[in-house]
Amino acid sequence: ENPNALFLLIGLTTVGAFFISIASLGFMINYAEGLIKTSLFFNMALGLVASVAGFASGSTEAGIMGLVFFVMGACYAWMVWSRIPFAAINLVTASSAIKANIGVTVFAYGAIVMNGLWLVLWSAATYSTLFVLGDCDAEGNCNNEVSGLYVFLFVLSLYWTAQVIKNVVHTTVAG
């Protein structure tokens, strides 16, 4: 009901994403091997949690699926464990190269800001359009039901543009 609160939330998440991405680059460089090992264990843990939750809720199928995912994660970890040092060196090398080419990093961080601005513009356009099409009053009571097609098209435009921005950054960094 309050678009200003939504814009504040978008702004805070954009700023948060900016700082998290800066911190994660340093984290990847300093703890590459531990990060890879943790991700393997985390996948196995998620399978166990899904299995326990499935069995606890009385859904045998969900419990079995969780066990299957746990076993698959464990088999994968066992098969790639000897390659972790090489993968860690590759991750450190790639992260150091990105850090050394600060222009690419600035471009990527600019894309975070661009995505945040796009989200603000999209939110204002979506909110306003649905408000007008719904014939809503100041209290948020609407007289008309808005077609799901409009909502679908707005969500499609949000996703499409975010993916275009992401892929432009990916192509620029890869180049």
Side-chain angles (χ1 to χ4, degrees):
E1 293 183 17
N2 184 359
N4 292 333
L6 178 65
F7 296 144
L8 177 64
L9 179 65
I10 291 169
L12 290 175
T13 55
T14 301
V15 170
F18 187 80
F19 287 112
I20 287 172
S21 65
I22 290 172
S24 66
L25 181 63
F27 187 79
M28 280 191 298
I29 290 172
N30 294 322
Y31 304 105
E33 189 168 334
L35 187 63
I36 294 170
K37 288 178 181 178
T38 302
S39 69
L40 292 173
F41 286 125
F42 188 72
N43 282 334
M44 289 187 292
L46 283 178
L48 278 180
V49 167
S51 178
V52 168
F55 286 128
S57 69
S59 176
T60 306
E61 296 85 7
I64 291 172
M65 285 301 296
L67 283 177
V68 167
F69 284 122
F70 168 74
V71 169
M72 287 173 47
C75 288
Y76 178 76
W78 182 73
M79 292 175 69
V80 301
W81 198 259
S82 63
R83 299 179 196 157
I84 290 177
F86 178 70
I89 290 170
N90 279 338
L91 183 60
V92 168
T93 302
S95 300
S96 298
I98 293 295
K99 192 175 179 183
N101 287 322
I102 198 70
V104 172
T105 307
V106 169
F107 184 74
Y109 293 145
I112 294 173
V113 173
M114 183 67 75
N115 261 328
L117 293 173
W118 164 242
L119 193 54
V120 167
L121 176 66
W122 178 87
S123 298
T126 303
Y127 183 82
S128 300
T129 302
L130 296 180
F131 191 84
V132 169
L133 290 176
D135 193 25
C136 302
D137 59 15
E139 285 81 37
N141 301 319
C142 301
N143 296 325
N144 299 330
E145 187 173 324
V146 178
S147 170
L149 177 64
Y150 293 112
V151 175
F152 170 76
L153 291 174
F154 272 111
V155 172
L156 179 67
S157 72
L158 172 68
Y159 179 74
W160 188 283
T161 305
Q163 290 303 307
V164 167
I165 293 170
K166 180 187 79 113
N167 288 326
V168 166
V169 170
H170 179 82
T171 304
T172 302
V173 171

